[in-house]
């Protein structure tokens, strides 16, 4: 019998929010960022970070530009406590950075937390307790009044401990844990009770953090919850409204962005979305999303690969190769049509203009990526990708028909091997095919070609057609030029690309596009310091390729 698991669940209720404002708003500036990698992220790891690893991670967060960093849960373990003491005693906290610590609402844990912070110039003390119905009923067996009293008493204790240490600049943060699954009226009741004890002011604000401890609804519903709290809590002008989205439904980034529209001032999250279960909201993605909309995120991800490597090493977790903005493959195109569009986009893009390269939402160089990995070639690729890599590898652009011819050669190689053809492999294959084509004709001196042991001078032949005529006479076959292109490379050499037809009676004039089914059409190429030698070598290679094809009855890859 087939069961229907959906009958076990009930939809999350909609929020009664009239004339909601967030859908018509736009984000115009970055929120306050708070990294919880060293606390929430750390507790989700199979092997939590050591003190030395946490110091390395902390210093990376500072370098990126985080001004608020949750460094640990000092009453939870000696490692956490000792790490915080080292940050303070060794004066590792910059003047513009505030560390944050977490505590439950128990007097002994709060006092232990303040012990860890002795001598710190400034700090955020973060109190939390779960208030949702399922936690009140199942986990704690507590009434609403008891849950609220727990938050109030913890706030009083923190206020007392802070007053006993007047040399530190204290900020208080309260989280109604499991907010996303709590009745809004009760969440406001608890938050207002806590705020009433702390008594924040516009010049000395407290932080109210609204956690989606478990992402329970669509992101628009979370936005409604945030806007409802933004409209209804007391002391709003004295509160920094923060959100802490988790990713259980896979929409934490959207929920965070909508929460900003709904009134949130601050975002808590982890780099690359690390965290318990499916993770915290991904701050890298959030920040880069702002960047692509013309808004400075205030965080520096200009060397995203270095950040990713540090996080992977410290967390012992890989970042997915398709992870937005940071994965190894996110700026890479294998598809032929994508590659062609990207290549044309790069060609059209000017340095002082708005970024507009197809398939690339940002310039990879802005996050420290080279363009070498933008286009990679496998059996799914086409001439656009192959040509792009050739342009970068040999410093010149083959004619279009030659691009088509060579892309098929590359595709055959990819089909044969079943693996990606590297940029170096493409350039090597091009050289083997077009620069070093062996056959019955060879250039034995700057102005001499040899065929079947007989030397023929090319002196006096001043252009490609003339040289082709000399070689045609030497080999006793018609050789007609159907395509010719010369380019100057960046290092001052001459690149020559020549397409010839061996045999046949049509298309014998330079540039003629006539079709001759009896002829064999092939390209040759050369890059030389001397233009004359480049021309001769390119024609020789093209003739050799055509001669080999004619002798083996190999069909032409490209018709003229």
């Amino acid at each position: 019998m087939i069961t229907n698991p959906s009958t076990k669940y009930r939809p999350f209720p909609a929020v009664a929010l009239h004339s909601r404002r967030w859908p018509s708003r736009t984000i115009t500036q970055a929120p306050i960022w708070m990294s919880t990698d060293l606390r929430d992220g750390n507790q989700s790891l199979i092997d939590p970070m050591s003190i030395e690893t946490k110091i390395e991670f902390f210093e990376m967060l500072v370098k990126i530009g985080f001004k608020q960093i949750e460094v640990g849960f000092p009453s939870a373990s000696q490692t956490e406590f000792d790490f915080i003491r080292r940050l303070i005693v060794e004066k590792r906290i910059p003047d513009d950075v505030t560390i944050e610590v977490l505590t439950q609402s128990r007097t002994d844990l709060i006092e232990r937390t303040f012990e860890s912070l002795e001598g710190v110039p400034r700090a955020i003390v973060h109190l939390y307790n779960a208030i949702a119905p399922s936690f009140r009923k199942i986990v704690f067996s507590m009434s609403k009044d008891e849950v609220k009293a727990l938050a109030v008493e913890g706030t009083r204790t923190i206020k007392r401990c802070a007053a006993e240490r007047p040399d530190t600049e204290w900020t208080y943060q309260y989280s109604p844990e499991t907010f996303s699954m709590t009745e809004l009226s009760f969440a406001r009741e608890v938050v207002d009770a806590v705020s009433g004890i702390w008594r924040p002011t516009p010049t000395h604000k407290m932080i109210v953090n609204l956690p989606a401890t478990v992402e329970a609804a669509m992101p628009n519903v979370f936005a409604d919850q945030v806007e409802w709290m933004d409209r209804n809590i007391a002391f709003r002008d004295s509160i920094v409204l923060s959100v802490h989205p988790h990713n259980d439904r896979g929409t934490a980034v959207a929920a965070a962005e909508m929460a900003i529209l709904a009134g949130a001032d601050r975002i808590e999250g982890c780099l690359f979305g690390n965290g318990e279960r499916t993770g915290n909201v991904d701050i890298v993605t959030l920040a880069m999303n702002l960047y692509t909309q013309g808004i400075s995120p205030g965080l520096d991800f200009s060397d995203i690969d270095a950040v990713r490597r540090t996080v992977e090493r410290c967390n012992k977790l890989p970042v997915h190769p398709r992870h937005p903005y940071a994965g190894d493959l996110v700026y890479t195109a294998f598809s032929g049509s994508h590659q062609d569009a990207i290549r044309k986009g790069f060609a059209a893009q000017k340095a002082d203009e708005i970024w507009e390269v197809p398939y690339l939402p940002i310039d990879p160089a802005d996050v420290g990526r080279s363009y070498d990995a933008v286009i990679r070639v496998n059996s799914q690729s086409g001439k656009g990708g192959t040509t792009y890599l050739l342009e970068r590898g040999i410093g010149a652009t083959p004619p279009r028909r030659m691009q088509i011819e060579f892309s098929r050669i590359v595709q055959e190689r990819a089909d044969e091997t079943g693996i990606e053809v590297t940029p170096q492999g493409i350039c090597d294959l091009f050289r083997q095919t077009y620069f070093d084509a062996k056959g019955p004709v060879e250039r034995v001196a700057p102005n001499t070609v040899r065929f079947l042991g007989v030397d023929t001078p090319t002196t006096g032949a001043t252009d490609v057609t003339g040289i082709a005529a000399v070689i045609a006479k030497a080999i006793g076959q018609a050789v007609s030029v159907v395509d010719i292109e010369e380019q100057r490379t960046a290092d001052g050499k001459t690149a020559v690309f020549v397409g010839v037809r061996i045999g046949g009676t049509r298309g014998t004039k330079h540039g003629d596009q006539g079709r001759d089914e009896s002829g064999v059409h092939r390209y040759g190429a050369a890059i030389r310091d001397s233009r004359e030698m480049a021309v001769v070598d390119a024609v020789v290679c093209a003739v050799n390729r055509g001669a080999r094809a004619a002798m083996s009855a190999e069909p032409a890859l490209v018709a003229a």
Side-chain angles (χ1 to χ4, degrees):
M1 181 178 178
I2 299 176
T3 60
N4 181 5
S6 66
T7 59
K8 296 164 54 179
Y9 308 98
R10 58 180 179 270
F12 195 88
V15 177
L17 184 66
H18 300 293
S19 301
R20 53 181 55 83
R21 302 163 190 157
W22 66 262
S24 62
R25 293 172 177 164
T26 57
I27 299 175
T28 58
Q29 63 181 21
I32 300 167
W33 303 109
M34 204 286 288
S35 163
T36 187
D37 288 270
L38 297 174
R39 199 277 302 171
D40 200 347
N42 187 52
Q43 73 181 25
S44 71
L45 301 177
I46 298 170
D47 299 312
M49 289 182 272
S50 66
I51 291 177
E52 293 302 327
T53 304
K54 291 188 78 170
I55 287 175
E56 178 186 3
F57 207 118
F58 177 82
E59 290 176 347
M60 176 189 66
L61 292 171
V62 169
K63 184 177 180 181
I64 290 170
F66 284 93
K67 304 306 179 186
Q68 296 183 5
I69 302 172
E70 191 169 45
V71 292
F73 199 150
S75 63
S77 75
Q78 191 63 42
T79 299
E80 299 281 281
F81 187 97
D82 291 344
F83 166 61
I84 293 164
R85 292 308 305 154
R86 279 194 62 177
L87 290 180
I88 297 168
V89 171
E90 296 176 5
K91 300 186 184 305
R92 293 179 176 271
I93 307 168
D95 292 341
D96 60 347
V97 172
T98 302
I99 63 169
E100 176 174 322
V101 293
L102 184 72
T103 181
Q104 295 169 313
S105 186
R106 278 175 38 189
T107 299
D108 58 328
L109 300 183
I110 292 171
E111 290 177 345
R112 175 69 169 167
T113 299
F114 274 89
E115 287 176 20
S116 74
L117 294 171
E118 290 290 346
V120 71
R122 72 206 66 80
I124 300 168
V125 180
H126 179 188
L127 178 77
Y128 77 98
N129 68 309
I131 68 171
S134 57
F135 282 76
R136 299 194 307 257
K137 178 178 66 175
I138 299 170
V139 181
F140 302 117
S141 298
M142 296 175 71
S143 66
K144 285 184 176 180
D145 287 342
E146 289 171 319
V147 166
K148 181 171 68 174
L150 189 64
V152 167
E153 287 307 309
T155 304
R156 285 198 177 102
T157 304
I158 289 174
K159 191 169 186 177
R160 171 181 60 79
C161 290
E164 293 169 353
R165 298 164 175 84
D167 292 336
T168 295
E169 180 185 331
W170 300 105
T171 299
Y172 177 49
Q173 174 173 328
Y174 174 68
S175 288
E177 187 72 358
T178 62
F179 162 79
S180 56
M181 300 184 296
T182 301
E183 313 94 323
L184 285 172
S185 58
F186 182 58
R188 177 186 62 183
E189 182 180 337
V190 176
V191 167
D192 286 353
V194 166
S195 302
I197 298 298
W198 190 259
R199 307 299 296 183
T201 68
T203 56
H204 192 187
K205 296 184 179 184
M206 69 173 280
I207 301 168
V208 171
N209 184 54
L210 305 177
T213 309
V214 176
E215 191 177 32
M218 292 173 65
N220 63 297
V221 175
F222 184 63
D224 282 348
Q225 293 176 310
V226 173
E227 183 170 333
W228 192 95
M229 292 292 284
D230 177 54
R231 291 190 195 182
N232 291 287
I233 57 174
F235 299 96
R236 181 62 185 94
D237 65 345
S238 302
I239 284 174
V240 174
L241 193 61
S242 175
V243 292
H244 181 113
H246 275 253
N247 197 41
D248 300 87
R249 300 181 77 255
T251 56
V253 168
E257 291 177 330
M258 291 182 182
I260 296 171
L261 296 174
D265 308 302
R266 179 177 182 265
I267 301 288
E268 296 190 357
C270 290
L271 299 180
F272 307 114
N274 183 39
E276 295 201 75
R277 304 182 311 281
T278 56
N280 291 273
V281 70
D282 178 352
I283 287 185
V284 171
T285 300
L286 275 173
M288 294 306 300
N289 282 356
L290 289 179
Y291 186 76
T292 66
Q293 300 305 303
I295 301 170
S296 172
L299 298 176
D300 181 4
F301 292 116
S302 60
D303 190 355
I304 196 70
D305 289 342
V307 174
R308 189 190 72 242
R309 287 192 297 268
T310 300
V311 172
E312 288 179 325
R313 182 173 62 256
C314 292
N315 287 349
K316 300 179 183 177
L317 292 173
V319 173
H320 196 282
R322 298 292 183 186
H323 189 287
Y325 302 108
D328 273 337
L329 297 177
V330 295
Y331 305 107
T332 301
F334 288 100
S335 161
S337 60
H338 290 202
Q339 292 173 342
D340 186 59
I342 290 170
R343 176 173 169 266
K344 291 174 180 175
F346 274 130
Q349 183 68 38
K350 292 182 172 55
D352 58 347
E353 292 183 350
I354 296 294
W355 180 256
E356 196 176 16
V357 175
Y359 295 110
L360 292 177
I362 68 167
D363 184 347
D366 290 338
V367 290
R369 288 286 179 86
S370 71
Y371 294 131
D372 294 339
V374 170
I375 290 177
R376 292 165 62 176
V377 173
N378 60 19
S379 61
Q380 304 300 305
S381 306
K383 69 177 178 63
T386 299
T387 302
Y388 174 86
L389 295 175
L390 271 178
E391 289 171 334
R392 299 182 65 77
I394 68 173
T397 306
R400 183 176 181 277
R401 296 183 196 179
M402 194 176 187
Q403 296 173 25
I404 297 171
E405 179 182 285
F406 183 59
S407 71
R408 293 176 182 171
I409 294 172
V410 172
Q411 190 170 38
E412 288 175 358
R413 175 65 60 87
D415 284 335
E416 288 172 3
T417 61
I419 60 175
E420 176 186 357
V421 184
T422 66
Q424 185 61 51
I426 286 172
C427 292
D428 289 345
L429 184 58
F430 187 86
R431 291 186 179 94
Q432 293 164 14
T433 304
Y434 297 104
F435 289 174
D436 305 321
K438 305 301 181 185
V441 183
E442 62 177 320
R443 180 178 58 78
V444 294
N447 297 308
T448 305
V449 295
R450 179 175 293 166
F451 177 72
L452 299 180
V454 178
D455 291 351
T456 302
T458 60
T459 306
T462 58
D463 59 14
V464 174
T465 303
I467 291 172
V470 171
I471 293 176
K473 185 177 180 180
I475 67 175
Q477 290 196 59
V479 177
S480 52
V481 177
V482 296
D483 200 1
I484 171 66
E485 190 164 321
E486 295 185 21
Q487 297 171 25
R488 200 74 169 166
T489 63
D491 57 0
K493 295 182 179 181
T494 299
V496 176
F497 305 96
V498 175
V500 302
R501 177 185 290 108
I502 308 296
T505 59
R506 295 181 60 188
T508 56
K509 293 176 63 179
H510 173 58
D512 193 332
Q513 302 300 309
R515 178 179 298 277
D516 183 351
E517 298 299 336
S518 65
V520 175
H521 315 86
R522 285 296 183 272
Y523 273 93
I527 298 178
R528 297 284 185 267
D529 292 322
S530 163
R531 175 190 175 278
E532 290 73 17
M533 289 180 63
V535 170
V536 173
D537 285 351
V539 176
V540 166
C541 288
V543 169
N544 281 336
R545 293 187 66 237
R548 290 204 315 263
M551 286 186 291
S552 64
E554 176 187 336
L557 293 178
V558 176

